[in-house]
Amino acid sequence: MMPLLPPTRRAVFRLAGGAAGVLAGAFGPLAALAQNQPGEPLKIGTIGAGREGGALGALFVKAGHKVMFSSRHPDQLKDLVAGLGPLASAGTVTEAVAFGDVVLLVVPYGAVAEIGQAHAAGLAKKQLVIDVSNPIARRDGEDLVKRVNEEGGAGLATQKALPGAKIVRAFNAIGYSQLATLAHRQPEPAGVPIAGDDKAALALAERLIRGIGFEPVAVGGLAMGKYLVPGTPLGGVHTPAELRQIAATLK
Ligand SMILES: NC(=O)c1ccc[n+]([C@@H]2O[C@H](COP(=O)([O-])OP(=O)(O)OC[C@H]3O[C@@H](n4cnc5c(N)ncnc54)[C@H](OP(=O)(O)O)[C@@H]3O)[C@@H](O)[C@H]2O)c1
């Protein structure tokens, strides 16, 4: 989708940027399952509006979606949303969950269980929950990483915390400072490995990811979500073809 906002705003997004399809042939059937028409703007709520959540949310605003950014301190998000124009707003986590057709979960992984306890029922009603969060030992602690591994890795562990939610993991290992410059890369788009079990949610995620200028590459179900963390072969910036090659070695 073309940017809907004037050039002055684009400059803001570049600053804010400090925020591939399914294996060939599989796009058609999945795309047909998406509940929204291609290009139709959606309402997106973010849980977490820090470095990655702020940068990703900015790209979705730039693509024409309404985005409500949230954290436990929504008053601290005023400058972020003021810089992004009328499609951006700030709220509590409860308000963002209620607002979104789609929710981005972009928090330290240690917060996922707590968010599940408070919001699992609301999140289960959403068309899609994009899980950008990663368990990182130095931030979240060794015990949490061990527990997540015992639960099958990030992906299956997120599903356990958010029962019934239609989860797709994406953007987990592309740094926030690269997002804005990688978006709409020419001549070849940057690939985004994605993993999920719900076909309609996968199709919607693919549409949203293409809309902000990346190429989604579905690497498998949520059990593959453990490979979508920094430091794994799929991490970092790859072309879609490279991601498909790497993913084939992981199965
Ligand atoms: N940084 C990157 O380049 C990058 C790239 C890919 C993936 N990720 C992943 O994305 C996640 C966020 O990383 P980040 O770098 O954006 O972190 P960050 O800058 O520290 O932001 C974290 C956000 O989560 C919110 N938050 C924390 N605990 C919360 C809770 N219990 N309920 C609701 N909101 C909560 C924080 O807001 P309040 O404290 O105000 O509530 C803040 O908005 C991590 O899992 C990380 O591994 C990061």
Side-chain angles (χ1 to χ4, degrees):
M1 183 185 299
M2 293 297 291
L4 300 180
L5 298 173
T8 48
R9 291 270 160 69
R10 287 184 200 136
V12 172
F13 292 125
R14 278 197 293 274
L15 291 173
V22 180
L23 293 170
F27 288 118
L30 290 184
L33 290 167
Q35 294 178 38
N36 300 88
Q37 295 302 310
E40 180 186 336
L42 292 175
K43 291 196 287 184
I44 298 175
T46 80
I47 304 179
R51 290 167 297 179
E52 186 80 357
L56 263 181
L59 291 182
F60 284 114
V61 169
K62 185 178 181 182
H65 302 287
K66 288 185 179 169
V67 177
M68 181 181 285
F69 295 84
S70 81
S71 80
R72 295 164 298 181
H73 310 99
D75 47 309
Q76 294 175 5
L77 305 177
K78 283 180 187 157
D79 288 349
L80 172 70
V81 300
L84 293 174
L87 292 178
S89 60
T92 64
V93 175
T94 299
E95 287 168 337
V97 171
F99 174 86
D101 304 308
V102 170
V103 172
L104 299 184
L105 182 62
V106 205
V107 295
Y109 207 90
V112 171
E114 173 190 333
I115 288 165
Q117 281 163 12
H119 301 288
L123 290 171
K125 295 177 189 154
K126 302 297 151 181
Q127 295 179 35
L128 166 67
V129 175
I130 300 181
D131 175 21
V132 189
S133 308
N134 300 305
I136 305 286
R138 70 176 177 278
R139 181 192 58 212
D140 303 310
E142 296 282 359
D143 286 351
L144 179 123
V145 172
K146 184 167 175 281
R147 177 179 63 73
V148 169
N149 287 339
E150 287 168 357
E151 291 175 359
L156 293 179
T158 308
Q159 186 73 79
K160 187 175 178 195
L162 308 179
K166 301 170 191 73
I167 297 165
V168 174
R169 280 179 63 76
F171 289 107
N172 304 84
I174 298 182
Y176 76 97
S177 62
Q178 296 177 287
L179 284 170
T181 47
L182 286 173
H184 300 286
R185 187 175 74 175
Q186 295 288 345
E188 188 167 28
V192 174
I194 66 174
D197 291 333
D198 186 283
K199 288 187 176 179
L202 277 167
L204 180 54
E206 289 169 359
R207 163 161 96 72
L208 287 168
I209 291 167
R210 286 203 186 88
I212 61 172
F214 292 84
E215 185 62 18
V217 175
V219 300
L222 273 180
M224 293 291 283
K226 64 186 175 189
Y227 294 119
L228 306 191
V229 295
T232 61
L234 288 170
V237 180
H238 299 281
T239 67
E242 287 167 348
L243 288 176
R244 290 187 194 102
Q245 272 182 352
I246 297 166
T249 70
L250 300 174
K251 297 189 177 185

